[in-house]
Amino acid sequence: MLDSNNVLELERRPSAEPARTLRAGLPVLAALVLATLVVTIDNTVLNVALPSIARDLDASTSQLQWVVNAYSLLFGGLLLTGGSLADRLGRRRVLLGGLTAFACASLLVLSVSSAEGLIAVRAVTGACAAFLMPSTIALLYRSFEGPARATAVGIAGAAGALGFVLGPLIGGALLEVFAWQAVFVVNVPLAAVAGVVAWRAIPRDAPPRVRPGGAGAAPADLLGTALSLGAMLGLVAALVDGPDHGWLSAAVLGPAAGSLLCGLSFVRWELRAAHPMLDVRAVARRAVAGPGVVQMGLMLAISGSLFLITQQLQVVMGYSPIEAGVRSSPIAVGVIGGGALLSVVSRWWGAAWAAALGMLGCSVAIAGVALALPHGGYWPLAAGLLVFGAGVRMVITPAALAVLGGLPDEAAGIGAALADTFQEIGGALGVALLGSVFNEVYRHDLPAGAPGVARASVQGAVSLGDAGLAGAARGAFASGAQVALLVCAGILAAAAVLARLTIPDDLDLSEEGADPVDGGRAEDDLKAYAY
């Protein structure tokens, strides 16, 4: 294990060789895990605050979708730019800058007094996170080699699972004492701690990459960034606004057409640009695109289902924010425990079958949750979340390693950003798509002549004080969530087939210290935590 003198020596060096053992790279791993937790907690802490935000800011269901999606869209839209800058300017530099900007952006929530203002703040925060996360993943992937790499990726996955646990719990605990703004301000001390540890532990970057002729760092692809953002914004806007304006209205067809135009223009520009942010030809290869779409489907399910289930727990089932946080934790327990399944299944049948069976398990679990929702019991929901979490763990590591492994080493930053982009696009589409399906069913099942505030959100219906209308709205919410989750289950089943066809069977998921005969054992508590 590196001591403090070793760490300081690494800081003085422009670069460091990848660690061959987990112990050798432990300080770097700790720094990157902390940075990962900052982002994952920020993503999950919001869910338990949605009902409080809806009440305080009079936010409709569509506005709540935009509160979640504004972050995901800017995050996903700028990840490729962030990854490109990390490759050009240095991953440590961009990581530390991203953490600083992320903390500052989180403080802006204290000035918010409307749903539109919160949407804007979340967009800024997502943009800052986009310059943080690619460096984290690229540094993790390139700081280790051999079996230690798979172990480190597994630990980072477990840290993400810990974020799923801590986010709702921290959010629920803060909401018991403070206003909803506290769930965003908590990012500031978390980012500060992560920044200090990263500054001390991660070796200094090599000099920035220069263009031929020594003209300095290659320029950022600003037009490509704008076109990719336009494509995603138009698509999500069309999905979110469909229930409000009608699917054939100009408010929906206009953004949809703009999304298609921007998407096609993005591909054409990236093929012709002197310094493209993305090698479109490489991404179009089956080895990259297939696992990427699998990641997208998985995050669609995670984001869209939690958006609905968290509100179901509070608004329909009547739990407090802290109780809702505790009762949503089985998903994280499943993620942490699912590592053992991943190890066994991948060793017996290969990584492709492990990912496919994990995705199929997610599909069955979400379908089970959907069928149990109208009955209102908690334990079927808990069992479904537990199985869903285990399935997520079986998919997320093989899919991420497949995307990164399909690109050359010198594109680690852009490859990590690409993997994250697939996930964030999936997250935004999950909230937009499943939220829109839910909205259609919810409004259809409300009594005829229900007031506009009730049609806008179930929180609005409850706030009117009419017991009959509130009961009808809660029933409509459960029906809408059921249909949306069944759609989600179908998408996951299709993604299971894609995972089997595109993720390599021989993907190296071996762990440091694993015994090829008996399947391996944890050499220390840290490895045990990874699984």
Side-chain angles (χ1 to χ4, degrees):
M1 183 182 296
L2 293 178
D3 58 28
S4 58
N5 291 330
N6 297 136
V7 173
L8 291 176
E9 177 61 23
L10 282 174
E11 277 204 323
R12 298 187 191 104
R13 294 162 53 192
S15 62
E17 293 297 321
R20 294 179 178 274
T21 66
L22 187 65
R23 293 182 184 277
L26 193 57
V28 173
L29 178 60
L32 298 176
V33 163
L34 282 173
T36 300
L37 276 173
V38 169
V39 175
T40 56
I41 288 175
D42 180 67
N43 273 326
T44 57
V45 76
L46 172 60
N47 287 317
V48 294
L50 289 174
S52 299
I53 292 169
R55 287 192 300 269
D56 192 31
L57 300 181
D58 294 324
S60 67
T61 297
S62 296
Q63 287 175 319
L64 291 180
Q65 288 175 264
W66 276 114
V67 168
V68 177
N69 278 337
Y71 179 95
S72 295
L73 285 172
L74 270 294
F75 190 7
L78 293 174
L79 273 168
L80 294 176
T81 300
S84 180
L85 286 177
D87 284 338
R88 292 175 169 125
L89 303 180
R91 293 157 193 162
R92 181 178 182 269
R93 295 184 188 95
V94 175
L95 172 65
L96 293 176
L99 281 168
T100 303
F102 187 84
C104 294
S106 297
L107 285 173
L108 293 175
V109 74
L110 297 176
S111 65
V112 166
S113 60
S114 66
E116 292 80 7
L118 181 58
I119 291 168
V121 168
R122 291 301 291 166
V124 173
T125 309
C128 295
F131 293 91
L132 157 63
M133 204 61 185
S135 299
T136 302
I137 299 174
L139 284 166
L140 175 71
Y141 191 72
R142 299 307 175 196
S143 294
F144 297 89
E145 63 182 8
R149 176 180 291 170
T151 307
V153 171
I155 291 174
L162 183 61
F164 275 110
V165 174
L166 291 179
L169 291 177
I170 290 173
L174 289 171
L175 289 170
E176 292 289 318
V177 181
F178 304 106
W180 57 264
Q181 289 89 343
V183 303
F184 302 112
V185 176
V186 74
N187 293 333
V188 178
L190 293 176
V193 172
V196 170
V197 176
W199 179 75
R200 292 292 305 272
I202 298 175
R204 287 169 52 184
D205 295 305
R209 187 195 305 175
V210 297
R211 290 177 288 176
D221 183 6
L222 298 180
L223 180 57
T225 299
L227 290 172
S228 63
L229 273 174
M232 285 187 286
L233 282 169
L235 178 58
V236 170
L239 290 171
V240 170
D241 290 341
D244 289 330
H245 301 284
W247 294 103
L248 297 179
S249 67
V252 172
L253 294 180
S259 172
L260 180 60
L261 179 61
C262 286
L264 294 174
S265 299
F266 172 78
V267 171
R268 182 177 181 183
W269 170 254
E270 294 302 300
L271 289 171
R272 301 172 58 187
H275 302 286
M277 72 163 72
L278 182 65
D279 184 346
V280 174
R281 294 181 181 87
V283 174
R285 292 171 50 234
R286 173 181 170 182
V288 177
V293 174
V294 169
Q295 286 185 303
M296 192 183 303
L298 186 66
M299 286 305 299
L300 182 152
I302 293 172
S303 298
S305 61
L306 289 180
F307 175 79
L308 296 171
I309 290 171
T310 306
Q311 294 183 78
Q312 168 84 12
L313 287 168
Q314 293 186 60
V315 180
V316 178
M317 301 175 73
Y319 294 115
S320 69
I322 185 65
E323 289 172 331
V326 172
R327 282 170 169 77
S328 62
S329 62
I331 186 173
V333 176
V335 171
I336 295 174
L341 286 174
L342 172 63
S343 180
V344 171
V345 176
S346 64
R347 188 172 63 251
W348 287 351
W349 296 320
W353 271 115
L357 292 175
M359 194 68 87
L360 188 61
C362 289
S363 175
V364 172
I366 289 296
V369 169
L371 295 176
L373 279 186
H375 305 292
Y378 169 69
W379 291 111
L381 174 62
L385 290 176
L386 183 69
V387 175
F388 180 64
V392 167
R393 180 65 177 89
M394 292 179 66
V395 177
I396 199 165
T397 298
L401 288 176
V403 171
L404 286 168
L407 295 170
D409 284 356
E410 64 270 15
I414 200 68
L418 181 63
D420 253 1
T421 299
F422 282 125
Q423 294 182 32
E424 290 304 318
I425 292 174
L429 290 178
V431 175
L433 177 61
L434 299 188
S436 295
V437 172
F438 157 79
N439 237 347
E440 287 282 2
V441 178
Y442 169 76
R443 294 181 181 187
H444 178 270
D445 285 5
L446 282 177
V453 66
R455 298 181 66 81
S457 71
V458 66
Q459 290 89 353
V462 172
S463 69
L464 293 175
D466 182 333
L469 179 60
R474 289 189 175 99
F477 186 100
S479 296
Q482 181 183 53
V483 174
L485 291 178
L486 287 174
V487 170
C488 177
I491 293 172
L492 287 169
V497 175
L498 185 62
R500 177 63 190 90
L501 294 176
T502 60
I503 291 178
D505 269 319
D506 58 352
L507 192 66
D508 184 11
L509 299 178
S510 61
E511 294 279 321
E512 183 180 327
D515 186 329
V517 176
D518 65 14
R521 53 185 171 78
E523 290 190 340
D524 51 40
D525 290 341
L526 187 58
K527 186 190 296 182
Y529 178 66
Y531 275 97

